[in-house]
Amino acid sequence: MKNRIVRGIAGTFILASLLLSIYVNQNWLWFTAFVGANLLQSSITKWCLMNQILDKFGVKD
C-alpha cells in the first residue's frame, strides 16, 4: 500500500509542477527535477523520506 501511495504522490507532484510551469512560471520545472532526483536517489539507496512520513501516519505496507 505504501508503494502505491508514494508513487501516487510523486506522480501528482510531477503533474502539478508541470501545469504550474506552463501556467505560472517556468521555474516550477525545478520542482519536477527535484522530485525526479528523489525518485532516482531512493531507487539507489532504498531510502525514501515519504516512506518514513507514511510510517509516522501509521500507513501499513
Side-chain angles (χ1 to χ4, degrees):
M1 183 67 169
K2 261 198 283 189
N3 278 336
R4 292 180 70 187
I5 294 172
V6 168
R7 290 176 185 173
I9 291 170
T12 302
F13 281 172
I14 289 172
L15 291 174
S17 64
L18 286 174
L19 287 173
L20 286 167
S21 72
I22 292 169
Y23 294 111
V24 178
N25 188 330
Q26 269 190 328
N27 285 327
W28 281 102
L29 291 174
W30 288 107
F31 186 67
T32 308
F34 174 75
V35 173
N38 278 313
L39 288 169
L40 180 63
Q41 170 269 325
S42 71
S43 72
I44 294 169
T45 63
K46 297 180 182 160
W47 179 84
C48 179
L49 178 61
M50 185 56 70
N51 274 335
Q52 289 186 336
I53 292 170
L54 292 173
D55 282 341
K56 299 262 186 201
F57 281 110
V59 176
K60 304 272 192 239
D61 280 332

